[in-house]
């Protein structure tokens, strides 16, 4: 597994292209990494005869690091000085952005074969069961209801046992009934499996 030199968080996915050449393709930006010789092999397959040499013109230092060796790559013209690609001059690998394979082929006068490589993200590891399912939501509601009921009951008891001149509210049967209902309902909900 090698990282995409463009999207640091993406890992390249080995994707067999034409003739089962195992290309490394980025599921994020669809860029393609060709190890030394793979681009030539792909082009040779797509036209049925060996491709001409892929000259690398006017190389300058690139801002990208080689995904294989980690060394700074070179940016230069591939076949044509205007088609700027990144190449590692240490290992000979070439990075092509998604549209560049088509451009290389156009420049070489090739028409057959794919101009891009389809890639699918590697299947993610199965997710761990969610901690908060609907069951725990019900439990949370029950807990809130029970607490509200308890608070209501405490308030009523406080009113009931306080000297009348100390409080401005009078105990209400309605609120008491509601609190009991909330507390009982909440406790019942919490107790359920
Ligand atoms: Zn990428
Ligand atoms: Zn390299």
């Amino acid at each position: 597994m090698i990282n995409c030199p463009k999207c640091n968080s993406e890992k390249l996915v080995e994707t067999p292209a034409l003739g089962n050449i195992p290309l490394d393709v980025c599921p994020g930006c669809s860029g393609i990494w060709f190890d030394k010789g793979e681009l030539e092999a792909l082009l040779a397959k797509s036209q049925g005869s060996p491709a001409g040499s892929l000259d690398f013109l006017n190389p300058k230092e690139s801002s990208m690091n080689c995904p294989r060796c980690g060394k700074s790559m070179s940016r230069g013209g591939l076949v044509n000085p205007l088609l700027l690609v990144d190449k590692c001059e240490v290992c000979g690998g070439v990075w092509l952005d998604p549209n560049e394979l088509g451009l290389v082929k156009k420049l070489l006068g090739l028409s057959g074969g794919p101009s891009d490589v389809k890639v699918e993200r590697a299947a993610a590891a199965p997710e761990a069961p969610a901690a908060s399912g609907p069951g725990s939501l019900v439990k949370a509601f029950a807990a809130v209801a029970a607490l509200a009921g308890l608070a209501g009951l405490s308030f009523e008891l406080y009113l009931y046992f306080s000297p009348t001149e100390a409080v401005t509210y009078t105990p209400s049967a309605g609120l008491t009934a509601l609190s009991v209902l909330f507390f009982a309902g909440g406790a019942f909900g919490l107790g359920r499996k």
Side-chain angles (χ1 to χ4, degrees), residues 110-135:
L110 307 179
S111 51
S115 291
D116 56 5
V117 178
K118 299 271 171 284
V119 60
E120 276 173 34
R121 207 174 287 267
E127 273 181 43
S132 59

Side-chain angles (χ1 to χ4, degrees), residues 31-127:
I32 312 169
W33 173 255
F34 296 87
D35 283 316
K36 184 180 172 62
E38 285 180 349
L39 179 55
E40 289 85 345
L42 182 79
L43 294 173
K45 286 275 182 189
S46 77
Q47 68 172 344
S49 61
S53 76
L54 299 174
D55 296 324
F56 194 52
L57 310 163
N58 310 324
K60 293 193 174 60
E61 197 170 317
S62 160
S63 57
M64 261 166 50
N65 289 331
C66 173
R68 282 268 186 240
C69 2
K71 299 260 170 22
S72 167
M73 297 173 77
S74 304
R75 191 158 177 81
L78 188 71
V79 185
N80 182 302
L82 295 179
L83 177 60
L84 290 174
V85 303
D86 297 276
K87 180 175 181 174
C88 174
E89 298 195 271
V90 179
C91 67
V94 175
W95 174 260
L96 293 188
D97 286 330
N99 58 340
E100 289 175 343
L101 178 57
L103 291 176
V104 173
K105 293 183 63 182
K106 215 171 257 173
L107 286 171
L108 293 172
L110 307 179
S111 51
S115 291
D116 56 5
V117 178
K118 299 271 171 284
V119 60
E120 276 173 34
R121 207 174 287 267
E127 273 181 43

